[in-house]
Amino acid sequence: MERIVVVGAGQAAGWAVSTLRQNGYAGEIHVVSNEHQVFYERPPLSKQVLSKDASYESLNLFSSEQIEGFALNLHKPDLAQRIDRDAKQVFLESGKVLPYDKLLIATGSRARVPVATWNQIPNVMTLRGVQDCERLSARLEQAESIAIVGGGWIGLEIAATARKQGKTVHVYEYADRLCGRSVSPEVSDFLKQIHTDAGTVIHLNSKQLNLNESQNQTVEVQNLPEPSQMFDCVVVGAGAEIAKELGSDAGLEVRDGIVVNTYGQTSDQDIYAAGDVAIHPILGYCIQSWANAQNQAIAAAKSMLGIATEYADIPWLWSDQYHFNIQILGTYQPDRQPMLVVRETSPTQKSYLYLDEQQRLINMIAVNDSKLVKLAKRWIQNGTVLDPEQLKNPDFNVMKLKP
């Protein structure tokens, strides 16, 4: 194998490249990136970087010396437009044609804007990459009021960052609760409470929402039947669109994302996919998280080299909002009607544990309790049977519940 092409240069691509070299691959690696900054993690953009508690350089997965040591052929900024599977070539916007022996698609996802015309309104923004963050950060220096469309994780993180800067913040959510697709109603209520307590105004059921350009670069938010309001800035955090077009146009098996097996392999044996763009092989849908991008890419890279490595990790993601670190383990499964156990060990440390009919953990949301998360991962992996009374007793040492 002489040449591997990686399309994308985010977290998944970075860990794939590193893994290839660490496992002895000495052939050419070509990386196609539509951004100047490559191999960086995105979660801190809406938190530490936007609040200026961290630099853009701190996002980098590797030092410049490490990247130089990877001996890569970087094509940036450039876009992969088409894959010719028969000729095993990738065609770039610049006109370059990259032959490959193995190909990894790590194109990730992009911010979803529900109404296309919103993109043309000054001071209506999204937050997905470094350039987005730079633009939003500059606007927040001048803005006094900010509206956020979308009450999901990124919207709430931006809301928390803006409130800590003293901005007036309103969040408009289409559904009847916050983060409704990923957490239970109890956790949605908790999220609403912490933001309301911090002074953010939450508008649920915002089903007749529109944005209009107004005078002095302000934006009018119409949320019928409420009166219209003016804001200095609007951030659209209404979910993500999976960047699956490259795979779809190439005739790969694609649903919500690119279908892969547990080794990261697509329906073409020489093409792999990892990260946001790839459907989780066990759960059957795309997982947009830092851990998924890293670990699925590592497994796929090893498998590309013939080191068969399965990926079936338990989903895990995290969010920082105000002084709360919120970690989600497993997936929200309301159809299974799980038993809820709430463990509260202090006013700022609380966990929501969801058990199946055999009293095994299937999902947990932990607030300021990273130690419990580490233990709970082993509970899920080993199918540990748990005692609800012990879990909810704040005086009981759960560390005794070894997997």
Side-chain angles (χ1 to χ4, degrees):
M1 186 163 56
E2 297 179 357
R3 179 181 288 204
I4 291 176
V5 173
V6 178
V7 180
Q11 177 126 357
W15 282 106
V17 165
S18 174
T19 302
L20 290 171
R21 291 305 192 209
Q22 286 177 4
N23 284 273
Y25 177 66
E28 293 182 26
I29 300 178
H30 290 254
V31 177
V32 182
S33 172
N34 63 350
E35 295 185 83
H36 285 286
Q37 187 166 341
V38 298
F39 307 147
Y40 69 90
E41 53 182 350
R42 299 180 190 273
L45 286 172
S46 56
K47 301 180 276 289
Q48 294 92 339
V49 176
L50 186 60
S51 63
K52 299 184 178 179
D53 292 330
S55 66
Y56 291 101
E57 291 72 24
S58 70
L59 301 172
N60 293 331
L61 299 174
F62 313 107
S63 67
S64 56
E65 291 78 16
Q66 286 176 301
I67 293 176
E68 185 176 345
F70 293 152
L72 306 174
N73 294 280
L74 280 171
H75 305 271
K76 64 169 188 170
D78 210 340
L79 284 173
Q81 292 187 316
R82 182 170 67 89
I83 300 169
D84 184 333
R85 290 169 54 193
D86 293 328
K88 298 182 75 170
Q89 294 176 328
V90 180
F91 292 79
L92 307 188
E93 186 178 58
S94 63
K96 295 177 183 176
V97 180
L98 303 179
Y100 67 85
D101 294 303
K102 298 288 185 184
L103 170 65
L104 176 67
I105 301 174
T107 45
S109 58
R110 55 182 169 266
R112 173 180 170 269
V113 180
V115 181
T117 55
W118 291 359
N119 287 309
Q120 278 70 57
I121 301 174
N123 293 321
V124 172
M125 308 179 184
T126 58
L127 180 55
R128 181 64 189 164
V130 164
Q131 288 184 309
D132 297 331
C133 192
E134 290 174 337
R135 183 181 173 217
L136 177 57
S137 180
R139 184 56 184 159
L140 285 180
E141 290 181 359
Q142 306 297 325
E144 295 298 329
S145 60
I146 175 173
I148 296 165
V149 178
W153 295 108
I154 192 165
L156 295 181
E157 288 168 358
I158 295 168
T161 299
R163 276 301 298 145
K164 288 192 289 186
Q165 294 178 2
K167 313 299 179 183
T168 298
V169 180
H170 287 240
V171 173
Y172 294 87
E173 166 56 37
Y174 182 89
D176 60 0
R177 59 189 182 88
L178 301 175
C179 296
R181 287 179 295 179
S182 57
V183 299
S184 66
E186 298 87 7
V187 179
S188 293
D189 290 344
F190 165 78
L191 294 170
K192 184 173 184 288
Q193 190 64 54
I194 65 173
H195 282 272
T196 301
D197 288 347
T200 294
V201 181
I202 305 291
H203 305 259
L204 300 176
N205 294 300
S206 299
K207 291 181 168 56
Q208 298 187 60
L209 187 73
N210 199 24
L211 309 180
N212 299 301
E213 183 177 353
S214 191
Q215 297 178 343
N216 302 320
Q217 293 194 317
T218 58
V219 183
E220 178 189 31
V221 177
Q222 293 178 321
N223 183 38
L224 297 175
E226 298 176 3
S228 297
Q229 290 190 259
M230 309 300 296
F231 294 92
D232 296 323
C233 174
V234 175
V235 182
V236 180
E241 293 179 346
I242 304 301
K244 61 185 180 181
E245 296 83 6
L246 200 61
S248 180
D249 294 345
L252 300 177
E253 184 181 354
V254 173
R255 295 199 292 269
D256 292 340
I258 298 175
V259 177
V260 297
N261 61 21
T262 54
Y263 304 102
Q265 192 175 45
T266 71
S267 53
D268 184 314
Q269 64 177 3
D270 293 319
I271 301 178
Y272 291 71
D276 288 10
V277 73
I279 291 177
H280 191 285
I282 305 301
L283 298 174
Y285 53 85
C286 295
I287 301 290
Q288 298 165 45
S289 80
W290 174 92
N292 178 73
Q294 172 182 294
N295 298 334
Q296 190 175 35
I298 290 172
K302 288 182 179 179
S303 296
M304 292 170 82
L305 298 179
I307 309 167
T309 305
E310 291 192 271
Y311 171 79
D313 284 12
I314 301 163
W316 170 77
L317 61 88
W318 59 275
S319 177
D320 286 334
Q321 299 173 34
Y322 306 108
H323 55 284
F324 298 101
N325 171 255
I326 303 163
Q327 297 190 45
I328 301 175
L329 185 65
T331 56
Y332 175 49
Q333 302 176 54
D335 293 345
R336 297 180 65 176
Q337 297 182 322
M339 174 194 299
L340 168 62
V341 178
V342 178
R343 178 176 177 81
E344 187 168 4
T345 51
S346 79
T348 58
Q349 189 176 72
K350 186 175 185 178
S351 294
Y352 301 81
L353 301 99
Y354 295 87
L355 311 182
D356 66 11
E357 58 275 10
Q358 279 83 43
Q359 296 187 356
R360 299 171 303 190
L361 184 67
I362 57 174
N363 179 215
M364 183 178 76
I365 295 85
V367 180
N368 294 335
D369 201 344
S370 57
K371 288 183 179 179
L372 183 59
V373 174
K374 291 178 181 178
L375 183 59
K377 284 182 181 179
R378 298 201 295 272
W379 290 343
I380 293 179
Q381 289 168 343
N382 296 323
T384 304
V385 176
L386 301 165
D387 183 339
E389 293 302 317
Q390 291 178 333
L391 290 177
K392 69 182 180 182
N393 180 358
D395 297 324
F396 178 77
N397 182 6
V398 292
M399 298 301 159
K400 293 180 179 179
L401 298 174
K402 297 300 181 183

